[in-house]
Amino acid sequence: MADSLHRCAWCGTDPLYVAYHDEEWGVPEYDARALWEKLVLDGFQAGLAWITILRKREGMRDAFDGFDPETIAAYGEADIERLLGDSRIIRSRAKINSAIKGARIWLEMRDSGEDFSEWLWSFVGGAPIQNSWPDGDARPVATPESEAMSKALKKRGFTFVGPVIVYAFMQAVGMVNDHGAECFRHRQVRAMARS
């Protein structure tokens, strides 16, 4: 029997994309380390399709030591060369350096008593923005919130965090519920928001 659930059109029929849509996209994430990992992955996506990142995500998690900021912050040139030779990842020196720099910034924030999760969520007032787009309607590629977050991330020294990348990040981690109003996940994701 065919799957009769109505989904957002963007996920198509690729099983990996459908699973990502059904299980992850738009689910509010509050864990600081998980948010940082997702921000890094969105940076690696710059100029590529998200399905490319999904296909490489497990290899990237392995190559980047589980996206542990403490480990990545200590990476040196030998680690960069190791990563550049690893076909399981996106082999971009600029993006690898961005991940290392981002890990160092994440640790600085943590060590100074700042919670990365609370800080990021402050750009949406601590609760997901609940949109209700008709499924066929285009979503914005950036918003005032993503522009503000992008500017603040850049000010702290993060890279590959332009407003379009940041908006995709916000959608993915549930800061914005951009599931189509007809999508079966719209109401489920809305119900997951912290009050």
Side-chain angles (χ1 to χ4, degrees):
M1 183 173 180
D3 181 350
S4 63
L5 294 174
H6 184 89
R7 292 179 173 85
C8 298
W10 61 261
C11 72
T13 59
D14 182 296
L16 189 59
Y17 233 179
V18 170
Y20 175 70
H21 170 274
D22 289 2
E23 299 163 19
E24 292 183 60
W25 194 73
V27 173
E29 178 61 69
Y30 301 98
D31 178 80
R33 199 230 38 95
L35 286 166
W36 178 73
E37 174 184 337
K38 184 64 178 70
L39 188 63
V40 171
L41 289 172
D42 273 307
F44 269 93
Q45 187 228 339
L48 304 169
W50 181 245
I51 192 68
T52 302
I53 301 302
L54 286 180
R55 289 180 180 138
K56 290 187 174 276
R57 181 165 60 171
E58 290 311 313
M60 292 180 73
R61 282 179 173 153
D62 185 51
F64 280 92
D65 294 294
F67 286 102
D68 174 48
E70 297 217 16
T71 303
I72 295 172
Y75 280 3
E77 191 56 38
D79 296 291
I80 294 169
E81 291 303 320
R82 169 183 59 82
L83 291 165
L84 286 170
D86 193 329
S87 64
R88 299 174 301 164
I89 75 163
I90 306 301
R91 294 180 284 184
S92 159
R93 183 177 288 274
K95 292 175 182 180
I96 291 167
N97 285 333
S98 177
I100 296 167
K101 184 177 183 184
R104 293 172 181 160
I105 298 165
W106 189 93
L107 289 174
E108 288 169 11
M109 291 177 71
R110 183 201 66 189
D111 294 347
S112 69
E114 280 187 273
D115 183 287
F116 189 65
S117 177
E118 286 179 16
W119 182 71
L120 290 175
W121 277 93
S122 73
F123 291 92
V124 293
I129 295 169
Q130 300 293 339
N131 289 322
S132 192
W133 309 103
D135 193 36
D137 284 11
R139 311 297 188 264
V141 295
T143 63
E145 293 85 2
S146 75
E147 289 169 6
M149 186 186 291
S150 170
K151 185 176 179 180
L153 284 161
K154 288 177 182 177
K155 186 175 181 181
R156 287 187 179 264
F158 287 96
T159 53
F160 289 97
V161 289
V164 174
I165 288 172
V166 168
Y167 192 66
F169 164 78
M170 293 171 77
Q171 290 173 308
V173 300
M175 291 178 182
V176 178
N177 182 358
D178 265 354
H179 281 282
E182 301 90 357
C183 176
F184 82 99
R185 287 294 281 167
H186 186 271
R187 292 179 73 193
Q188 292 176 356
V189 166
R190 176 188 284 271
M192 294 176 190
R194 286 184 179 170
S195 52

